[in-house]
Structure formats: structure tokens, C-alpha cells
Amino acid sequence: ASFKPGLPEQQAAAMLLERISAKVAKSLRPRAVYVVSAVPRTDTGKPVRRKAAEIAGTIAPLATA
């Protein structure tokens, strides 16, 4: 099953956490889902985790586990 276009972000985030929980070990599951316009990246395209964490600290998650 896939997400339908027009699905509210909060509902999609909750569904994502449910699907991940069914397939991934508890220790590997995300604790929250955030929606951002872009993920900060290095020149080589790798995500910059510290900057992403700073952004996440300024917004509320859409869903939490």
C-alpha cells in the first residue's frame, strides 16, 4: 500500500510510524516524524545531522512513537 495524494501530513506521518514499527526492530524505530522543506546536505550530498537536529529542535513533530 502507498500513501494517497492529498493525505493530511499528520495522518501520513502516523501511518509511516505504524508501518516502520511492523517491520523494524524497536531499537531502530524513529521516535518522531518531522516535515521539513529540505534536509541540509554537504557538498557531496550527505545529510548534515547536526543541522537537521537543530531544525528538528525548532519545530513540533507530526507524529511520535
Side-chain angles (χ1 to χ4, degrees):
S2 62
F3 296 113
K4 294 183 171 126
L7 186 66
E9 289 178 344
Q10 193 153 4
Q11 187 178 356
M15 288 174 62
L16 179 64
L17 281 176
E18 283 179 32
R19 289 181 184 181
I20 291 171
S21 294
K23 301 206 180 255
V24 177
K26 188 174 183 175
S27 62
L28 297 175
R29 294 178 194 159
R31 287 176 268 172
V33 174
Y34 297 87
V35 174
V36 295
S37 58
V39 174
R41 298 192 178 271
T42 65
D43 293 337
T44 59
K46 294 181 180 179
V48 180
R49 293 179 186 213
R50 286 185 186 195
K51 286 186 181 179
E54 289 174 11
I55 292 169
T58 64
I59 59 176
L62 284 182
T64 57

